[in-house]
Amino acid sequence: MTPSPPPPLLRLEQVSKRFGPTLALNNVDFDLHAGEVHALMGENGAGKSTLMKILAGNQPRDTGRILMDGKEIDIRSPRDASAHGIAIIHQELNTVPDMTIAENLALGHEPLTRFGTLDRRALGRQASEKLARIGADIDPQRRLGSLSIGMQQMVEIARAVSENARVLVLDEPTAALSRAEAQQLYQLIDQMRASGVGLIYISHRMEEVWQLADRITVFRDGAHIGTARMQDITPPDVVRMMVGRAMGDLYDHPPRTAGEVVLDVEGLAGNGVGPVSFTVRAGEVVAMSGLIGSGRTEVGRLIFGSDPREVGTVRIDGRPSMPSDCVDAISDGIGMVPENRKEQGLFLGHSVEDNIAISSLDRYVTAGVLHSSTIHAAVAEEMARLRLRANAIDLPVKSLSGGNQQKAVLARWLLRDSRLLILDEPTRGVDIGAKREIYEMIDALARAGKAILMISSDLPEAIGVSDRLLVMRGGRIVCELVSDATSEEEVMFHATGTAGDRAPQGHGDPQ
Amino acid sequence: MTKDTENLGRAVEPVRREPFDFARWWDRVGILVVLAALVVFMAVFAPNFARIDNLLNIARSISVNAILAAGMTFVILTGGIDLSVGSIIAVSGVVAVIAAIAGVPAPAAVILGMVVGAACGLANGALSAYMGLAPFIVTLGTMTFLRGLAYTITAGQPIVSSALNFRDIGNGYFAGIPVPVIVMAIVYLVAWFLLERTRYGRHVYAVGGNPEAAKLAGVRVKRIITSVYLFAGACAGLAGVIFAARVVSAQPTAGTGYELDAIAAVVLGGTALAGGRGRIVGTLIGSVILGVLSTGLILMNVPFFTQLLIKGVVIILAVAIDSLKQRTFSFRLPLFSRSAPPRS
């Protein structure tokens, strides 16, 4: 041991970044030691991805210093980042699925023969060496796209390792992995830590963070909230740091009373899920829970007519709804906020008004002509209801924050005055303040007599916002729970179909 | 909705307006500035440019391309492309002329030409929308097929008919204005009305902006896609009839390469090739710019080969400005830029 500790491998001092009106990072400090796994947690919009983009060289920082081994460095481009040994494994993989594994591994510095042509033999040899270094046993001549997502991720990590990465940032690496693949990844992370690489591990999964990390840092609203060693902190502490308040009051709503049945689903099947049967009443919020791939989104799409049904009946207010496409479903009184706001929900380059009005235009037509001023006024009214700034009405929707973008999609169905709202992950990628507003709006809509079916992967949210919970597994509804009388453990038990370290509590066990 | 849902939430996001936004400014008036500069330049340097009869001539000469470009605007707004409109000009012209020679009255022959064009467009649209084929490939195929059809029908020879009954739609005047110019004006009025004042128009923009979101928002995406090709085909059919009337014959080679001039006019007018963004008025101005440019250059005795050079530069400049204003960080490809400099 030297008398003075060595400088950290990577150190960020007072780094700030502003995007238009939002301060994405506000004078944050962060450090990472060699041979350490440093978990970075925070809500969406907390500034994790901005920090990552700065490290990756995709966005320049506005102010602050970045030091490596105590020496200040400048990262202006991804090339700089790579030259300093910083590699990022993104959620969306940066690989070319149609090329072979070997070609992917060599991308950007392919070995050449002395005639300047591609040296295929060296390419294969180097690829085998790189894969061997991370202990992956894959044939480098296979097409990358033929591998599972987990294996593709391994290949990307192999590439980073081969480029002598000293800092490896992993952004929710296990989000798309099976349990076995995740275990394999954990082993690889341990291996890399032992070899002196510093790892920044971004994740939303508490248990995984506690299993892997040495230290944890929490960001909130672009600010550094705290850093602690894992043994000095508990998951509830981290949640409190992330949300800035105890979780309870985030979901608080006065009790609601359910009315008549609005949505009545009987034996509905199609698109690989079902049959499912359930009801949603007026003034009721029903959450659909379950693991990714359990069929929640598919059920929503079957009801909304965006995927074809095989069998089953759906009734809205007692009238059969048999949509052949979304147009029919909308005229039956159904509205859907899709899972992926940017890809399925919004016309990013179009104005907020156009985005909100698009599904209700038929109401504002006489003799084929649109009533522009009436539409404008009606849209402005919905925007005011949702506290969307009126002067945003003509701006492209892409200039709004994630939360306000989501409000624009919701406003579309408020304007349409749909009877049933299917909300698929309504708060994904939304900051905590907008989350709260969306919850309040869901509550207000229910009180106004709407029926709401909410699909959510966020368990506390699903339990906290809803009146009842339908848990799905393998395309079926495996049980129905009363939200006030269940716990995350109980939902997870049903969603996974396996007992955890303790037996599940029965119904009626208060939280 | 009851009072319960009023005034939800608290946080209000501040939306800052940029003091001067080149992109927005250019969107609104940029192309007009270019046209004005061009007209002033020509009026000063091109002999006889500013005479009424010359201006009417320009209007007449651009009408065919402008009508094509009106239809092309709809297609490009949905994110598609139609390469077959030039060949449709030939086919519809040939059919209309043969019908006229066979004794079909003029209005019916004109409508027949349009129907033939619309039918070709319907085939393009249905193949693109319902078979899921790429419009570029579909219309490349129909472009070749329809050209072949025009040659086959005419056995490769022009069909000249000096007594063509619908020749006035190409050469006539009404109240001192060339008839094709009036037809062009009507086409643009209809196109403007459809795009700006109807639900259909909003749906066209929505499909181009994001087809998946459009579907989930209740737009019949396939129908919209089919309809824009149908409209483009009908426009091309009408353009074909006007072309045949002007040359008083059916030419199997008519309209060769016109699809590219139409695309150029649309893009000059500020419509994004990616779809979802653009204005029909821009297309009209784009067509006028191209027309003024060629006529002015002819009046200035600029050789034809040089005219092509200048036209090419103008098109690239216009698109360059368009892409400059779209510039964001997204132009970086992390895939390639992430790698280290090549090792020696």
Side-chain angles (χ1 to χ4, degrees), chain A residues 272-276 289 294-295 299 470-479:
Chain A
V273 302
V276 294
S289 218
S294 60
V299 170
L470 305 168
V471 183
M472 287 197 72
R473 184 173 79 235
R476 307 284 187 96
I477 294 173
V478 289
C479 75

Side-chain angles (χ1 to χ4, degrees), chain B residues 35 38-39 42 49 58 62 288-297:
Chain B
L35 176 61
L38 192 64
V39 167
M42 291 300 175
F49 176 83
I58 291 178
I62 66 169
V288 174
I289 287 178
L290 287 179
V292 167
L293 199 61
S294 13
T295 319
L297 291 175

Side-chain angles (χ1 to χ4, degrees), chain A residues 441-457:
Chain A
M441 187 175 59
I442 292 174
D443 181 52
L445 286 169
R447 272 167 215 293
K450 308 282 182 201
I452 292 164
L453 179 64
M454 181 179 79
I455 298 163
S456 177
S457 296

Side-chain angles (χ1 to χ4, degrees), chain A residues 9 32-37 166 192-199 214:
Chain A
L9 174 59
L32 175 72
H33 296 287
E36 172 190 50
V37 176
R166 301 179 60 209
M192 296 183 72
R193 165 163 48 196
S195 70
V197 175
L199 294 108
D214 302 297

Side-chain angles (χ1 to χ4, degrees), chain B residues 166-259:
Chain B
F166 61 83
R167 59 186 299 169
D168 276 356
I169 198 171
N171 298 313
Y173 286 84
F174 182 82
I177 298 166
V179 176
V181 176
I182 293 168
V183 174
M184 173 182 81
I186 293 169
V187 167
Y188 271 84
L189 272 174
V190 170
W192 175 86
F193 176 78
L194 285 175
L195 285 180
E196 305 279 338
R197 288 286 178 269
T198 69
R199 183 161 84 113
Y200 172 76
R202 299 277 181 108
H203 284 187
V204 168
Y205 281 96
V207 168
N210 184 344
E212 177 67 12
K215 181 187 150 197
L216 294 177
V219 175
R220 295 192 204 269
V221 174
K222 290 177 178 177
R223 233 182 257 185
I224 296 286
I225 289 178
T226 308
S227 73
V228 294
Y229 287 92
L230 188 134
F231 182 72
C235 286
L238 183 60
V241 172
I242 293 173
F243 187 93
R246 282 190 60 197
V247 297
V248 208
S249 60
Q251 306 274 352
T253 55
T256 308
Y258 278 31
E259 61 281 345

Side-chain angles (χ1 to χ4, degrees), chain B residues 66-341:
Chain B
I67 290 169
L68 274 191
M72 188 69 82
T73 305
F74 279 60
V75 172
I76 290 179
L77 276 176
T78 65
I81 194 89
D82 190 346
L83 299 176
S84 71
V85 289
S87 298
I88 293 178
I89 285 190
V91 172
S92 62
V94 166
V95 171
V97 168
I98 291 175
I101 292 172
V104 173
V110 170
I111 288 166
L112 183 63
M114 280 181 73
V115 168
V116 166
C120 298
L122 180 65
N124 283 332
L127 287 169
S128 303
Y130 292 93
M131 303 271 295
L133 305 175
F136 186 95
I137 303 301
V138 168
T139 58
L140 186 66
T142 51
M143 169 175 106
T144 311
F145 178 89
L146 294 172
R147 183 65 62 192
L149 189 62
Y151 278 121
T152 307
I153 297 173
T154 60
Q157 297 300 316
I159 302 170
V160 184
S161 163
S162 50
L164 196 62
N165 59 13
F166 61 83
R167 59 186 299 169
D168 276 356
I169 198 171
N171 298 313
Y173 286 84
F174 182 82
I177 298 166
V179 176
V181 176
I182 293 168
V183 174
M184 173 182 81
I186 293 169
V187 167
Y188 271 84
L189 272 174
V190 170
W192 175 86
F193 176 78
L194 285 175
L195 285 180
E196 305 279 338
R197 288 286 178 269
T198 69
R199 183 161 84 113
Y200 172 76
R202 299 277 181 108
H203 284 187
V204 168
Y205 281 96
V207 168
N210 184 344
E212 177 67 12
K215 181 187 150 197
L216 294 177
V219 175
R220 295 192 204 269
V221 174
K222 290 177 178 177
R223 233 182 257 185
I224 296 286
I225 289 178
T226 308
S227 73
V228 294
Y229 287 92
L230 188 134
F231 182 72
C235 286
L238 183 60
V241 172
I242 293 173
F243 187 93
R246 282 190 60 197
V247 297
V248 208
S249 60
Q251 306 274 352
T253 55
T256 308
Y258 278 31
E259 61 281 345
L260 299 180
D261 282 340
I263 294 167
V266 174
V267 173
L268 260 177
T271 296
L273 278 177
R277 188 170 56 83
R279 289 271 174 273
I280 189 71
V281 181
T283 300
L284 182 59
I285 297 170
S287 309
V288 174
I289 287 178
L290 287 179
V292 167
L293 199 61
S294 13
T295 319
L297 291 175
I298 292 168
L299 290 173
M300 287 164 75
N301 278 323
V302 175
F304 177 68
F305 299 159
T306 317
Q307 286 179 35
L308 289 183
L309 298 178
I310 293 172
K311 228 163 110 181
V313 169
V314 167
I315 291 168
I316 290 171
L317 268 180
V319 183
I321 291 171
D322 189 65
S323 106
L324 238 138
K325 72 178 186 177
Q326 293 294 313
R327 180 159 289 186
T328 58
F329 282 98
S330 62
F331 73 95
R332 291 190 183 187
L333 286 175
L335 175 63
F336 298 108
S337 44
R338 209 175 68 111
S339 52

